[in-house]
Amino acid sequence: MRKHLIIIALAVFMPLMAAAQYGRQSNAIIAHVGGGWGGFPGRSSATRIDHFMGALGADVKLGLSDNLSLLVGLDYQFRFINSGYTTYSGGIAHHSKFLNGHYLRLPVRVEYDYNWFYVAAGPYIEKGFSNMPGKHEIGLLGANLELGGRIELNRYDYLRIGLLTSFGTSLRYVYDEDEWGNPINSAKHMRWGYKELNFLLRVGYEHRF
């Protein structure tokens, strides 16, 4: 656990320290909310079919040049996961139920803006809590891309509207198992798990300094 915390701290603070050298450029704070949909490509037998998301978060924006900026943020997502279980009661099929998942995400992105248009892309790490994900999962690693535009409210404030697309892969500890699914030994191995694709429509407020 200590190693994981050190990795997270380096992923967040080292870009901030590097970008601080470019203090001549304008910096900003961005707050945003959003809603969207996601799924699990390639999981034909998945018990989790899709999910609907609500999200909120904030980014620190550090100017690198006139058109380039570094964004480091923290996002929270609440997901309603549609379970793929099918049950039968009295001859009637009940196809799904909703589970709740809470996720925290640490994204680091580079943003390019031109007039009113912007595009931002970069990696993220993510950790799920509550009913999601499975007990052996460490978290998700992935990358996202956001395309959008901004509306100038005044010299320092902007309204942002963008579509954020994220693609990630889970990382988990698993046991070697026999043909009946029983653990062979107590040793666990780190392996890649399921893939996840999300689409999030976000509205943000950007204040520049």
Side-chain angles (χ1 to χ4, degrees), residues 39-42 105 122-124 126 140-145 164-170 193-199:
F40 304 92
R105 173 180 295 187
Y124 67 84
E126 185 177 88
L140 279 86
L141 301 177
N144 55 39
L145 172 68
L164 180 71
T165 303
S166 302
F167 181 78
T169 303
S170 68
Y194 64 86
K195 296 178 176 60
E196 183 174 303
L197 180 64
N198 296 326
F199 301 94

Side-chain angles (χ1 to χ4, degrees), residues 9-192:
L10 291 175
V12 174
F13 293 109
M14 286 190 67
L16 285 173
M17 294 172 62
Q21 302 176 16
Y22 297 88
R24 300 184 303 273
Q25 309 301 330
S26 61
N27 302 323
I29 294 178
I30 304 170
H32 45 77
V33 298
W37 175 89
F40 304 92
R43 295 189 77 198
S44 58
S45 60
T47 57
R48 291 168 287 173
I49 305 302
D50 53 35
H51 48 253
F52 302 92
M53 304 177 295
L56 57 88
D59 293 299
V60 175
K61 181 177 179 179
L62 302 167
L64 303 179
S65 68
D66 291 338
N67 300 103
L68 285 177
S69 301
L70 178 68
L71 276 66
V72 180
L74 175 64
D75 295 340
Y76 162 77
Q77 293 185 3
F78 180 74
R79 301 180 185 176
F80 302 91
I81 297 99
N82 184 5
S83 167
Y85 291 109
T86 300
T87 59
Y88 293 89
S89 176
I92 301 176
H94 303 277
H95 292 287
S96 64
K97 64 178 181 179
F98 285 94
L99 304 174
N100 297 331
H102 302 270
Y103 283 78
L104 288 178
R105 173 180 295 187
L106 295 173
V108 178
R109 300 183 295 158
V110 174
E111 179 177 287
Y112 174 81
D113 62 84
Y114 181 76
N115 291 332
W116 60 271
F117 171 78
Y118 71 87
V119 55
Y124 67 84
I125 56 176
E126 185 177 88
K127 176 62 178 175
F129 302 92
S130 187
N131 292 337
M132 289 283 287
K135 62 180 180 179
H136 298 305
E137 291 179 13
I138 301 173
L140 279 86
L141 301 177
N144 55 39
L145 172 68
E146 183 175 8
L147 301 174
R150 60 169 60 88
I151 301 172
E152 183 176 355
L153 303 178
N154 56 54
R155 181 180 177 183
Y156 299 102
D157 300 302
Y158 296 81
L159 178 68
R160 298 165 58 101
I161 302 175
L163 177 64
L164 180 71
T165 303
S166 302
F167 181 78
T169 303
S170 68
L171 190 63
R172 61 188 314 188
Y173 282 119
V174 296
Y175 293 97
D176 290 328
E177 298 179 343
D178 58 24
E179 57 183 313
W180 298 281
N182 299 314
I184 297 176
N185 51 53
S186 59
K188 290 190 289 187
H189 307 279
M190 190 178 296
R191 294 180 182 174
W192 297 109

